[in-house]
Amino acid sequence: MWKTRITELLGIDYPIIQGAMAYISESQLAASIYHAGGAGVIASGGFTVDEVQNYIHEVRDMCGSRAVFGVNLMLQAPNKDDIAQLVCDEKVPFVTIGAGNASPYIAPLHQAGVRALAIVPTVKLAQRVQERGADAIIIEGMEAGGHDGKLTLMALMENVIPSVEVPVIAAGGIVDGRGIAAALIMGASGVQMGTRFLLSEECQVHPAYKEAIIHASDKDSTVTGFSKNDSVRGLRNAFTRRYLEAEYSGASIDELRALSRGTTRRAVQEGDIHEGYVLAGMSLTHLNKIQPMQEIMEELVAETEKTLNKAATVIKE
Ligand SMILES: Cc1cc2nc3c(=O)[nH]c(=O)nc-3n(C[C@H](O)[C@H](O)[C@H](O)COP(=O)(O)O)c2cc1C
């Protein structure tokens, strides 16, 4: 058990959060990481409000009424206000809020007893949500799978951490204990990870998706939509090649959105790893096996402790 501002804030043993993954992160995944000492986040992207509510109830059935978990609120999603209402009614322990300015949602969440963790891409937004009472800030580098900003995690840690007082959670490209230790040394109080947890036995994504990640290495990561401020990171395949060809031949944002419509679901549920979008982060080379969540978490914790213990001697060797 570690003690950081995030373990204290959320009441968990380790400040390791399984980030929301649209169409993927549901109750089993959230329950498995909670049992292993971290906290999971149920996605709202790709799920209906009723489905999200069922997942909330399932986590509580599996882990008890005091289970710590979150729900993701995507501010560009058409059902965002229904999800916000749901999390308040259900009094979920915390919400991660992304894809926009979380400020207006913070006070209503607090009134319902829900902690608000805002995902921010810049110092300015970090300070604004801090002023409005955000309990913590998540900085997500462009190394991350899924929708991305334009800064690396290292640049975000350099820019944002010294600019705010609230605890910061680092995300993007962290897949092992060395990455967790590095983020903690940089001043983060916790980490959020996605891609590593896709390879947990408990993760419900299609087996072909997991195999694609196992076979991928550093050179297989790509980002679409960068030139349109609509960056999404995943594995290079037939779909991303077609998209990038269109993006850099002058296609409009609407044409590009039409091209990508349904591709995440296609990869996640149908296992079409060629024409679907296999969202995943940049750190891929050493992800090569499927493991139970408990084993993943034990490895992460042991590697982090080993790295931190060694850190004190690095410049004295
Ligand atoms: C398949 C996939 C789907 C994702 N979907 C969402 C989402 O719906 N909402 C969100 O806020 N972040 C989403 N993310 C980002 C993750 O929550 C997390 O921040 C990210 O995976 C961290 O980077 P990593 O993949 O390198 O570990 C997604 C990431 C992946 C890999």
Side-chain angles (χ1 to χ4, degrees), residues 39-59:
V41 179
I42 296 168
S44 57
F47 300 139
T48 63
V49 177
D50 287 348
E51 283 171 326
V52 174
Q53 185 170 35
N54 283 339
Y55 293 143
I56 293 170
H57 294 171
E58 282 174 12
V59 175

Side-chain angles (χ1 to χ4, degrees), residues 216-287:
S217 63
D218 51 354
K219 64 185 187 334
D220 296 311
S221 182
T222 192
V223 66
T224 56
F226 190 82
S227 68
K228 305 282 184 191
N229 286 327
D230 194 28
S231 297
V232 181
R233 179 169 299 283
L235 301 188
R236 191 189 309 279
N237 63 7
F239 160 70
T240 62
R241 272 189 281 276
R242 203 170 47 254
Y243 185 107
L244 287 167
E245 233 173 75
E247 179 180 347
Y248 291 101
S249 317
S252 69
I253 189 82
D254 288 341
E255 287 166 328
L256 292 171
R257 287 203 171 130
L259 256 183
S260 62
R261 195 160 298 132
T263 51
T264 306
R265 193 196 54 75
R266 198 164 169 171
V268 168
Q269 291 174 357
E270 294 169 22
D272 185 347
I273 58 164
H274 305 292
E275 295 296 336
Y277 205 170
V278 183
L279 302 183
M282 261 185 187
S283 299
L284 294 160
T285 306
H286 299 289
L287 295 186

Side-chain angles (χ1 to χ4, degrees), residues 31-303:
S32 68
I33 186 156
Y34 174 66
H35 280 136
V41 179
I42 296 168
S44 57
F47 300 139
T48 63
V49 177
D50 287 348
E51 283 171 326
V52 174
Q53 185 170 35
N54 283 339
Y55 293 143
I56 293 170
H57 294 171
E58 282 174 12
V59 175
R60 289 181 166 145
D61 288 346
M62 286 184 268
C63 306
S65 59
R66 296 166 68 102
V68 180
F69 64 98
V71 169
N72 183 228
L73 182 58
M74 298 271 283
L75 296 180
Q76 279 171 7
N79 66 357
K80 63 179 186 301
D81 289 327
D82 296 334
I83 295 286
Q85 189 58 50
L86 172 70
V87 297
C88 290
D89 293 345
E90 291 286 346
K91 300 194 183 312
V92 301
F94 70 94
V95 168
T96 61
I97 314 168
N101 179 6
S103 299
Y105 290 85
I106 296 171
L109 287 168
H110 282 170
Q111 272 157 25
V114 179
R115 297 207 189 280
L117 281 53
I119 306 168
V120 298
T122 60
V123 171
K124 196 172 165 193
L125 194 54
Q127 289 173 333
R128 198 185 303 168
V129 297
Q130 171 175 270
E131 269 166 36
R132 297 291 287 268
D135 297 284
I137 281 166
I138 301 172
I139 48 176
E140 191 187 60
M142 62 180 291
E143 301 92 329
H147 285 269
D148 280 335
K150 295 213 156 163
L151 294 182
T152 61
L153 177 58
M154 180 59 82
L156 282 167
M157 290 194 293
E158 291 280 12
N159 285 296
V160 177
I161 293 175
S163 308
V164 293
E165 274 102 51
V166 286
V168 174
I169 295 166
I174 298 175
V175 293
D176 62 18
R178 293 173 312 132
I180 297 172
L184 296 176
I185 287 179
M186 286 294 291
S189 302
V191 297
Q192 174 170 283
M193 298 161 60
T195 305
R196 174 84 192 253
F197 296 134
L198 287 169
L199 295 190
S200 63
E201 281 176 4
E202 291 84 352
C203 180
Q204 299 299 302
V205 74
H206 196 284
Y209 199 116
K210 294 187 182 184
E211 280 304 310
I213 289 174
I214 287 173
H215 288 113
S217 63
D218 51 354
K219 64 185 187 334
D220 296 311
S221 182
T222 192
V223 66
T224 56
F226 190 82
S227 68
K228 305 282 184 191
N229 286 327
D230 194 28
S231 297
V232 181
R233 179 169 299 283
L235 301 188
R236 191 189 309 279
N237 63 7
F239 160 70
T240 62
R241 272 189 281 276
R242 203 170 47 254
Y243 185 107
L244 287 167
E245 233 173 75
E247 179 180 347
Y248 291 101
S249 317
S252 69
I253 189 82
D254 288 341
E255 287 166 328
L256 292 171
R257 287 203 171 130
L259 256 183
S260 62
R261 195 160 298 132
T263 51
T264 306
R265 193 196 54 75
R266 198 164 169 171
V268 168
Q269 291 174 357
E270 294 169 22
D272 185 347
I273 58 164
H274 305 292
E275 295 296 336
Y277 205 170
V278 183
L279 302 183
M282 261 185 187
S283 299
L284 294 160
T285 306
H286 299 289
L287 295 186
N288 42 33
K289 59 175 188 259
I290 297 167
Q291 297 166 279
M293 179 63 88
Q294 181 69 36
E295 191 177 297
I296 294 177
M297 285 290 284
E298 281 169 11
E299 264 182 34
L300 292 175
V301 168
E303 280 168 6

